[in-house]
Amino acid sequence: MSETVQGREGLLSTAFVGLADTLIDDFDIIDLLDQLVGHGVTLCGADAVGILLVDSRGYLQVVASSDEDVSLMELLQLQADDGPCVECVRTAAPVVAPDLADVGDRWPVLTGAMRTHQLYRSVHAMPLRLRGKAIGAMNLFRRLPGALPEADLALAQALADVATVGILQERAVRRGEVLVEQLQTALNSRVIIEQAKGVLAQRAGLSMNAAFERLRSHSRNRNQRLSEVARQVVEGELELGALEPPGRAG
């Protein structure tokens, strides 16, 4: 077995063991989803990953993304109510667009934005589904055109399935119902995190991506929920100078 294969298997084992640990007891959904987008980038051949969830009113919302560019692309699809990620949730089936330049008539808003911003050229959307009903989608973006290998798509779907289990309560899974409270908690947490990113970006002169990395690093180093750290920043309970730069031990 090659070192590359061994290394990939080690990453896979670490990823799924870490996700399993996250699901124990009173886990943080936002932390789980943040781990998933990270694994999507490192394990599935994507340049960026985003996750959409259906909220209590039936509307799609962006709840996790690997960077701000992905959030922009997801929001453009939500505003247009169209695109591969939206279609994935509607059909509860994977939607693959190996080259967005070839599907301008299908998703004109998204493809137009891609040309304007020159960000991504391909999208692979995997459903978060339970018994044929989608509660969201995990979306893999690539800067170059081309289809992902089947093995990477299968892994992405497995990660999406883990997310589904994490979002749905055991009893709700047996009944085949979405646990609205859990979904709304994730959405509310995302709002406070976005507010904290804005506060930190403005006051510390950071980009939104750098601000998020600072929040996430502090959360992990102190073993605190990301949403709790964000709340402390927004409410002024945590001084910005106390936030630890990424990679610094707590």
PDB file of all heavy atoms in Angstrom, residues 184-217:
ATOM      1  N   GLN A 184     -33.235  25.144  13.786  1.00  0.00           N
ATOM      2  CA  GLN A 184     -33.306  26.564  14.111  1.00  0.00           C
ATOM      3  C   GLN A 184     -32.154  26.984  15.012  1.00  0.00           C
ATOM      4  O   GLN A 184     -31.631  28.099  14.903  1.00  0.00           O
ATOM      5  CB  GLN A 184     -34.643  26.877  14.781  1.00  0.00           C
ATOM      6  CG  GLN A 184     -35.002  28.358  14.732  1.00  0.00           C
ATOM      7  CD  GLN A 184     -35.120  28.866  13.302  1.00  0.00           C
ATOM      8  OE1 GLN A 184     -35.768  28.248  12.474  1.00  0.00           O
ATOM      9  NE2 GLN A 184     -34.453  29.978  13.011  1.00  0.00           N
ATOM     10  N   THR A 185     -31.720  26.086  15.892  1.00  0.00           N
ATOM     11  CA  THR A 185     -30.566  26.372  16.741  1.00  0.00           C
ATOM     12  C   THR A 185     -29.320  26.602  15.891  1.00  0.00           C
ATOM     13  O   THR A 185     -28.543  27.532  16.132  1.00  0.00           O
ATOM     14  CB  THR A 185     -30.314  25.210  17.722  1.00  0.00           C
ATOM     15  OG1 THR A 185     -31.435  25.090  18.602  1.00  0.00           O
ATOM     16  CG2 THR A 185     -29.047  25.452  18.541  1.00  0.00           C
ATOM     17  N   ALA A 186     -29.142  25.762  14.875  1.00  0.00           N
ATOM     18  CA  ALA A 186     -27.994  25.922  13.989  1.00  0.00           C
ATOM     19  C   ALA A 186     -28.052  27.252  13.249  1.00  0.00           C
ATOM     20  O   ALA A 186     -27.047  27.957  13.118  1.00  0.00           O
ATOM     21  CB  ALA A 186     -27.943  24.768  12.987  1.00  0.00           C
ATOM     22  N   LEU A 187     -29.237  27.611  12.780  1.00  0.00           N
ATOM     23  CA  LEU A 187     -29.394  28.868  12.047  1.00  0.00           C
ATOM     24  C   LEU A 187     -29.169  30.074  12.954  1.00  0.00           C
ATOM     25  O   LEU A 187     -28.514  31.044  12.567  1.00  0.00           O
ATOM     26  CB  LEU A 187     -30.782  28.923  11.413  1.00  0.00           C
ATOM     27  CG  LEU A 187     -31.049  27.849  10.345  1.00  0.00           C
ATOM     28  CD1 LEU A 187     -32.521  27.847   9.961  1.00  0.00           C
ATOM     29  CD2 LEU A 187     -30.176  28.080   9.121  1.00  0.00           C
ATOM     30  N   ASN A 188     -29.700  30.016  14.171  1.00  0.00           N
ATOM     31  CA  ASN A 188     -29.494  31.116  15.109  1.00  0.00           C
ATOM     32  C   ASN A 188     -28.020  31.271  15.479  1.00  0.00           C
ATOM     33  O   ASN A 188     -27.508  32.389  15.622  1.00  0.00           O
ATOM     34  CB  ASN A 188     -30.322  30.890  16.378  1.00  0.00           C
ATOM     35  CG  ASN A 188     -31.817  30.979  16.125  1.00  0.00           C
ATOM     36  OD1 ASN A 188     -32.247  31.522  15.115  1.00  0.00           O
ATOM     37  ND2 ASN A 188     -32.606  30.421  17.033  1.00  0.00           N
ATOM     38  N   SER A 189     -27.339  30.142  15.627  1.00  0.00           N
ATOM     39  CA  SER A 189     -25.912  30.183  15.944  1.00  0.00           C
ATOM     40  C   SER A 189     -25.132  30.811  14.810  1.00  0.00           C
ATOM     41  O   SER A 189     -24.192  31.588  15.031  1.00  0.00           O
ATOM     42  CB  SER A 189     -25.380  28.772  16.219  1.00  0.00           C
ATOM     43  OG  SER A 189     -25.982  28.224  17.374  1.00  0.00           O
ATOM     44  N   ARG A 190     -25.517  30.496  13.583  1.00  0.00           N
ATOM     45  CA  ARG A 190     -24.820  31.063  12.430  1.00  0.00           C
ATOM     46  C   ARG A 190     -24.971  32.579  12.406  1.00  0.00           C
ATOM     47  O   ARG A 190     -24.033  33.312  12.075  1.00  0.00           O
ATOM     48  CB  ARG A 190     -25.350  30.443  11.139  1.00  0.00           C
ATOM     49  CG  ARG A 190     -24.789  31.042   9.849  1.00  0.00           C
ATOM     50  CD  ARG A 190     -23.284  31.097   9.822  1.00  0.00           C
ATOM     51  NE  ARG A 190     -22.663  29.807  10.025  1.00  0.00           N
ATOM     52  CZ  ARG A 190     -21.353  29.622  10.143  1.00  0.00           C
ATOM     53  NH1 ARG A 190     -20.542  30.671  10.095  1.00  0.00           N
ATOM     54  NH2 ARG A 190     -20.859  28.425  10.324  1.00  0.00           N
ATOM     55  N   VAL A 191     -26.135  33.091  12.782  1.00  0.00           N
ATOM     56  CA  VAL A 191     -26.360  34.542  12.800  1.00  0.00           C
ATOM     57  C   VAL A 191     -25.401  35.217  13.775  1.00  0.00           C
ATOM     58  O   VAL A 191     -24.758  36.230  13.441  1.00  0.00           O
ATOM     59  CB  VAL A 191     -27.822  34.863  13.174  1.00  0.00           C
ATOM     60  CG1 VAL A 191     -27.984  36.363  13.448  1.00  0.00           C
ATOM     61  CG2 VAL A 191     -28.766  34.433  12.061  1.00  0.00           C
ATOM     62  N   ILE A 192     -25.266  34.684  14.982  1.00  0.00           N
ATOM     63  CA  ILE A 192     -24.400  35.298  15.983  1.00  0.00           C
ATOM     64  C   ILE A 192     -22.940  35.197  15.570  1.00  0.00           C
ATOM     65  O   ILE A 192     -22.132  36.104  15.822  1.00  0.00           O
ATOM     66  CB  ILE A 192     -24.619  34.671  17.393  1.00  0.00           C
ATOM     67  CG1 ILE A 192     -24.049  35.587  18.479  1.00  0.00           C
ATOM     68  CG2 ILE A 192     -24.022  33.297  17.495  1.00  0.00           C
ATOM     69  CD1 ILE A 192     -24.831  36.846  18.695  1.00  0.00           C
ATOM     70  N   ILE A 193     -22.571  34.107  14.876  1.00  0.00           N
ATOM     71  CA  ILE A 193     -21.194  33.954  14.398  1.00  0.00           C
ATOM     72  C   ILE A 193     -20.887  34.991  13.326  1.00  0.00           C
ATOM     73  O   ILE A 193     -19.811  35.599  13.310  1.00  0.00           O
ATOM     74  CB  ILE A 193     -20.958  32.525  13.874  1.00  0.00           C
ATOM     75  CG1 ILE A 193     -20.937  31.537  15.048  1.00  0.00           C
ATOM     76  CG2 ILE A 193     -19.641  32.432  13.094  1.00  0.00           C
ATOM     77  CD1 ILE A 193     -20.983  30.088  14.638  1.00  0.00           C
ATOM     78  N   GLU A 194     -21.831  35.221  12.421  1.00  0.00           N
ATOM     79  CA  GLU A 194     -21.632  36.233  11.389  1.00  0.00           C
ATOM     80  C   GLU A 194     -21.495  37.619  12.020  1.00  0.00           C
ATOM     81  O   GLU A 194     -20.679  38.438  11.578  1.00  0.00           O
ATOM     82  CB  GLU A 194     -22.795  36.215  10.395  1.00  0.00           C
ATOM     83  CG  GLU A 194     -22.855  34.978   9.515  1.00  0.00           C
ATOM     84  CD  GLU A 194     -21.614  34.820   8.657  1.00  0.00           C
ATOM     85  OE1 GLU A 194     -21.135  35.827   8.104  1.00  0.00           O
ATOM     86  OE2 GLU A 194     -21.107  33.693   8.547  1.00  0.00           O
ATOM     87  N   GLN A 195     -22.282  37.896  13.059  1.00  0.00           N
ATOM     88  CA  GLN A 195     -22.173  39.183  13.751  1.00  0.00           C
ATOM     89  C   GLN A 195     -20.798  39.335  14.394  1.00  0.00           C
ATOM     90  O   GLN A 195     -20.179  40.402  14.321  1.00  0.00           O
ATOM     91  CB  GLN A 195     -23.267  39.295  14.808  1.00  0.00           C
ATOM     92  CG  GLN A 195     -24.670  39.422  14.232  1.00  0.00           C
ATOM     93  CD  GLN A 195     -25.739  39.399  15.315  1.00  0.00           C
ATOM     94  OE1 GLN A 195     -25.479  39.029  16.455  1.00  0.00           O
ATOM     95  NE2 GLN A 195     -26.954  39.792  14.954  1.00  0.00           N
ATOM     96  N   ALA A 196     -20.323  38.271  15.025  1.00  0.00           N
ATOM     97  CA  ALA A 196     -19.014  38.320  15.680  1.00  0.00           C
ATOM     98  C   ALA A 196     -17.897  38.511  14.657  1.00  0.00           C
ATOM     99  O   ALA A 196     -16.934  39.246  14.906  1.00  0.00           O
ATOM    100  CB  ALA A 196     -18.783  37.041  16.484  1.00  0.00           C
ATOM    101  N   LYS A 197     -18.007  37.863  13.519  1.00  0.00           N
ATOM    102  CA  LYS A 197     -17.019  38.059  12.456  1.00  0.00           C
ATOM    103  C   LYS A 197     -16.967  39.524  12.039  1.00  0.00           C
ATOM    104  O   LYS A 197     -15.889  40.096  11.839  1.00  0.00           O
ATOM    105  CB  LYS A 197     -17.364  37.183  11.251  1.00  0.00           C
ATOM    106  CG  LYS A 197     -17.028  35.718  11.420  1.00  0.00           C
ATOM    107  CD  LYS A 197     -17.712  34.842  10.399  1.00  0.00           C
ATOM    108  CE  LYS A 197     -17.427  35.214   8.989  1.00  0.00           C
ATOM    109  NZ  LYS A 197     -18.119  34.309   8.019  1.00  0.00           N
ATOM    110  N   GLY A 198     -18.136  40.126  11.903  1.00  0.00           N
ATOM    111  CA  GLY A 198     -18.188  41.528  11.508  1.00  0.00           C
ATOM    112  C   GLY A 198     -17.562  42.441  12.544  1.00  0.00           C
ATOM    113  O   GLY A 198     -16.816  43.367  12.212  1.00  0.00           O
ATOM    114  N   VAL A 199     -17.864  42.184  13.814  1.00  0.00           N
ATOM    115  CA  VAL A 199     -17.296  42.984  14.897  1.00  0.00           C
ATOM    116  C   VAL A 199     -15.775  42.877  14.893  1.00  0.00           C
ATOM    117  O   VAL A 199     -15.047  43.884  14.966  1.00  0.00           O
ATOM    118  CB  VAL A 199     -17.852  42.529  16.265  1.00  0.00           C
ATOM    119  CG1 VAL A 199     -17.077  43.177  17.409  1.00  0.00           C
ATOM    120  CG2 VAL A 199     -19.337  42.864  16.365  1.00  0.00           C
ATOM    121  N   LEU A 200     -15.282  41.641  14.810  1.00  0.00           N
ATOM    122  CA  LEU A 200     -13.839  41.414  14.855  1.00  0.00           C
ATOM    123  C   LEU A 200     -13.151  41.982  13.619  1.00  0.00           C
ATOM    124  O   LEU A 200     -12.080  42.595  13.717  1.00  0.00           O
ATOM    125  CB  LEU A 200     -13.559  39.916  14.977  1.00  0.00           C
ATOM    126  CG  LEU A 200     -12.104  39.486  15.198  1.00  0.00           C
ATOM    127  CD1 LEU A 200     -11.533  40.171  16.427  1.00  0.00           C
ATOM    128  CD2 LEU A 200     -12.035  37.972  15.338  1.00  0.00           C
ATOM    129  N   ALA A 201     -13.765  41.817  12.464  1.00  0.00           N
ATOM    130  CA  ALA A 201     -13.174  42.329  11.230  1.00  0.00           C
ATOM    131  C   ALA A 201     -13.042  43.847  11.273  1.00  0.00           C
ATOM    132  O   ALA A 201     -12.015  44.415  10.896  1.00  0.00           O
ATOM    133  CB  ALA A 201     -14.018  41.902  10.027  1.00  0.00           C
ATOM    134  N   GLN A 202     -14.089  44.502  11.767  1.00  0.00           N
ATOM    135  CA  GLN A 202     -14.082  45.959  11.805  1.00  0.00           C
ATOM    136  C   GLN A 202     -13.107  46.512  12.832  1.00  0.00           C
ATOM    137  O   GLN A 202     -12.324  47.425  12.545  1.00  0.00           O
ATOM    138  CB  GLN A 202     -15.489  46.474  12.099  1.00  0.00           C
ATOM    139  CG  GLN A 202     -15.583  47.994  12.131  1.00  0.00           C
ATOM    140  CD  GLN A 202     -16.980  48.486  12.450  1.00  0.00           C
ATOM    141  OE1 GLN A 202     -17.733  47.796  13.129  1.00  0.00           O
ATOM    142  NE2 GLN A 202     -17.340  49.655  11.955  1.00  0.00           N
ATOM    143  N   ARG A 203     -13.121  45.946  14.016  1.00  0.00           N
ATOM    144  CA  ARG A 203     -12.323  46.506  15.108  1.00  0.00           C
ATOM    145  C   ARG A 203     -10.855  46.092  15.059  1.00  0.00           C
ATOM    146  O   ARG A 203      -9.988  46.824  15.530  1.00  0.00           O
ATOM    147  CB  ARG A 203     -12.927  46.107  16.453  1.00  0.00           C
ATOM    148  CG  ARG A 203     -14.323  46.684  16.661  1.00  0.00           C
ATOM    149  CD  ARG A 203     -14.865  46.327  18.026  1.00  0.00           C
ATOM    150  NE  ARG A 203     -16.227  46.834  18.206  1.00  0.00           N
ATOM    151  CZ  ARG A 203     -16.971  46.591  19.271  1.00  0.00           C
ATOM    152  NH1 ARG A 203     -16.484  45.879  20.272  1.00  0.00           N
ATOM    153  NH2 ARG A 203     -18.200  47.077  19.343  1.00  0.00           N
ATOM    154  N   ALA A 204     -10.590  44.901  14.496  1.00  0.00           N
ATOM    155  CA  ALA A 204      -9.207  44.425  14.448  1.00  0.00           C
ATOM    156  C   ALA A 204      -8.580  44.594  13.065  1.00  0.00           C
ATOM    157  O   ALA A 204      -7.427  44.220  12.858  1.00  0.00           O
ATOM    158  CB  ALA A 204      -9.141  42.961  14.884  1.00  0.00           C
ATOM    159  N   GLY A 205      -9.353  45.111  12.114  1.00  0.00           N
ATOM    160  CA  GLY A 205      -8.817  45.321  10.772  1.00  0.00           C
ATOM    161  C   GLY A 205      -8.501  44.033  10.048  1.00  0.00           C
ATOM    162  O   GLY A 205      -7.513  43.943   9.311  1.00  0.00           O
ATOM    163  N   LEU A 206      -9.351  43.009  10.241  1.00  0.00           N
ATOM    164  CA  LEU A 206      -9.145  41.713   9.608  1.00  0.00           C
ATOM    165  C   LEU A 206     -10.145  41.505   8.486  1.00  0.00           C
ATOM    166  O   LEU A 206     -11.202  42.135   8.448  1.00  0.00           O
ATOM    167  CB  LEU A 206      -9.314  40.589  10.640  1.00  0.00           C
ATOM    168  CG  LEU A 206      -8.382  40.604  11.856  1.00  0.00           C
ATOM    169  CD1 LEU A 206      -8.837  39.544  12.850  1.00  0.00           C
ATOM    170  CD2 LEU A 206      -6.941  40.360  11.431  1.00  0.00           C
ATOM    171  N   SER A 207      -9.814  40.585   7.572  1.00  0.00           N
ATOM    172  CA  SER A 207     -10.800  40.153   6.591  1.00  0.00           C
ATOM    173  C   SER A 207     -11.819  39.270   7.301  1.00  0.00           C
ATOM    174  O   SER A 207     -11.576  38.785   8.415  1.00  0.00           O
ATOM    175  CB  SER A 207     -10.129  39.369   5.459  1.00  0.00           C
ATOM    176  OG  SER A 207      -9.646  38.124   5.957  1.00  0.00           O
ATOM    177  N   MET A 208     -12.962  39.042   6.665  1.00  0.00           N
ATOM    178  CA  MET A 208     -13.979  38.185   7.275  1.00  0.00           C
ATOM    179  C   MET A 208     -13.452  36.762   7.455  1.00  0.00           C
ATOM    180  O   MET A 208     -13.730  36.104   8.463  1.00  0.00           O
ATOM    181  CB  MET A 208     -15.242  38.189   6.421  1.00  0.00           C
ATOM    182  CG  MET A 208     -15.972  39.524   6.417  1.00  0.00           C
ATOM    183  SD  MET A 208     -16.689  39.942   8.032  1.00  0.00           S
ATOM    184  CE  MET A 208     -18.225  38.993   7.951  1.00  0.00           C
ATOM    185  N   ASN A 209     -12.673  36.276   6.484  1.00  0.00           N
ATOM    186  CA  ASN A 209     -12.098  34.932   6.614  1.00  0.00           C
ATOM    187  C   ASN A 209     -11.134  34.862   7.793  1.00  0.00           C
ATOM    188  O   ASN A 209     -11.150  33.911   8.584  1.00  0.00           O
ATOM    189  CB  ASN A 209     -11.368  34.542   5.330  1.00  0.00           C
ATOM    190  CG  ASN A 209     -12.305  34.162   4.209  1.00  0.00           C
ATOM    191  OD1 ASN A 209     -13.443  33.775   4.458  1.00  0.00           O
ATOM    192  ND2 ASN A 209     -11.850  34.277   2.984  1.00  0.00           N
ATOM    193  N   ALA A 210     -10.272  35.886   7.923  1.00  0.00           N
ATOM    194  CA  ALA A 210      -9.303  35.905   9.029  1.00  0.00           C
ATOM    195  C   ALA A 210     -10.014  36.031  10.371  1.00  0.00           C
ATOM    196  O   ALA A 210      -9.609  35.428  11.366  1.00  0.00           O
ATOM    197  CB  ALA A 210      -8.316  37.048   8.831  1.00  0.00           C
ATOM    198  N   ALA A 211     -11.103  36.803  10.394  1.00  0.00           N
ATOM    199  CA  ALA A 211     -11.863  36.952  11.633  1.00  0.00           C
ATOM    200  C   ALA A 211     -12.463  35.618  12.063  1.00  0.00           C
ATOM    201  O   ALA A 211     -12.440  35.260  13.244  1.00  0.00           O
ATOM    202  CB  ALA A 211     -12.966  37.992  11.435  1.00  0.00           C
ATOM    203  N   PHE A 212     -12.988  34.873  11.105  1.00  0.00           N
ATOM    204  CA  PHE A 212     -13.571  33.572  11.432  1.00  0.00           C
ATOM    205  C   PHE A 212     -12.503  32.610  11.943  1.00  0.00           C
ATOM    206  O   PHE A 212     -12.724  31.866  12.908  1.00  0.00           O
ATOM    207  CB  PHE A 212     -14.267  32.984  10.210  1.00  0.00           C
ATOM    208  CG  PHE A 212     -14.896  31.642  10.467  1.00  0.00           C
ATOM    209  CD1 PHE A 212     -15.984  31.525  11.311  1.00  0.00           C
ATOM    210  CD2 PHE A 212     -14.384  30.493   9.883  1.00  0.00           C
ATOM    211  CE1 PHE A 212     -16.558  30.290  11.567  1.00  0.00           C
ATOM    212  CE2 PHE A 212     -14.956  29.255  10.122  1.00  0.00           C
ATOM    213  CZ  PHE A 212     -16.049  29.152  10.970  1.00  0.00           C
ATOM    214  N   GLU A 213     -11.318  32.620  11.304  1.00  0.00           N
ATOM    215  CA  GLU A 213     -10.242  31.745  11.757  1.00  0.00           C
ATOM    216  C   GLU A 213      -9.830  32.087  13.179  1.00  0.00           C
ATOM    217  O   GLU A 213      -9.524  31.206  13.982  1.00  0.00           O
ATOM    218  CB  GLU A 213      -9.042  31.862  10.819  1.00  0.00           C
ATOM    219  CG  GLU A 213      -9.246  31.219   9.461  1.00  0.00           C
ATOM    220  CD  GLU A 213      -9.522  29.728   9.559  1.00  0.00           C
ATOM    221  OE1 GLU A 213      -8.916  29.068  10.436  1.00  0.00           O
ATOM    222  OE2 GLU A 213     -10.350  29.226   8.788  1.00  0.00           O
ATOM    223  N   ARG A 214      -9.842  33.380  13.522  1.00  0.00           N
ATOM    224  CA  ARG A 214      -9.494  33.798  14.880  1.00  0.00           C
ATOM    225  C   ARG A 214     -10.532  33.280  15.884  1.00  0.00           C
ATOM    226  O   ARG A 214     -10.187  32.779  16.957  1.00  0.00           O
ATOM    227  CB  ARG A 214      -9.428  35.326  14.929  1.00  0.00           C
ATOM    228  CG  ARG A 214      -8.863  35.910  16.212  1.00  0.00           C
ATOM    229  CD  ARG A 214      -7.372  35.663  16.370  1.00  0.00           C
ATOM    230  NE  ARG A 214      -6.578  36.270  15.321  1.00  0.00           N
ATOM    231  CZ  ARG A 214      -6.064  37.491  15.367  1.00  0.00           C
ATOM    232  NH1 ARG A 214      -6.286  38.251  16.428  1.00  0.00           N
ATOM    233  NH2 ARG A 214      -5.314  37.951  14.395  1.00  0.00           N
ATOM    234  N   LEU A 215     -11.810  33.383  15.532  1.00  0.00           N
ATOM    235  CA  LEU A 215     -12.870  32.874  16.412  1.00  0.00           C
ATOM    236  C   LEU A 215     -12.763  31.362  16.578  1.00  0.00           C
ATOM    237  O   LEU A 215     -12.864  30.829  17.682  1.00  0.00           O
ATOM    238  CB  LEU A 215     -14.236  33.234  15.834  1.00  0.00           C
ATOM    239  CG  LEU A 215     -14.638  34.710  15.829  1.00  0.00           C
ATOM    240  CD1 LEU A 215     -15.880  34.905  14.976  1.00  0.00           C
ATOM    241  CD2 LEU A 215     -14.880  35.205  17.253  1.00  0.00           C
ATOM    242  N   ARG A 216     -12.575  30.676  15.461  1.00  0.00           N
ATOM    243  CA  ARG A 216     -12.517  29.216  15.508  1.00  0.00           C
ATOM    244  C   ARG A 216     -11.306  28.721  16.290  1.00  0.00           C
ATOM    245  O   ARG A 216     -11.397  27.763  17.061  1.00  0.00           O
ATOM    246  CB  ARG A 216     -12.498  28.649  14.088  1.00  0.00           C
ATOM    247  CG  ARG A 216     -12.428  27.133  14.036  1.00  0.00           C
ATOM    248  CD  ARG A 216     -12.768  26.596  12.669  1.00  0.00           C
ATOM    249  NE  ARG A 216     -11.902  27.134  11.625  1.00  0.00           N
ATOM    250  CZ  ARG A 216     -12.042  26.867  10.347  1.00  0.00           C
ATOM    251  NH1 ARG A 216     -13.039  26.103   9.942  1.00  0.00           N
ATOM    252  NH2 ARG A 216     -11.221  27.377   9.445  1.00  0.00           N
ATOM    253  N   SER A 217     -10.155  29.376  16.101  1.00  0.00           N
ATOM    254  CA  SER A 217      -8.952  28.982  16.827  1.00  0.00           C
ATOM    255  C   SER A 217      -9.146  29.137  18.332  1.00  0.00           C
ATOM    256  O   SER A 217      -8.803  28.248  19.113  1.00  0.00           O
ATOM    257  CB  SER A 217      -7.762  29.829  16.356  1.00  0.00           C
ATOM    258  OG  SER A 217      -6.599  29.507  17.085  1.00  0.00           O
TER     259      SER A 217
END
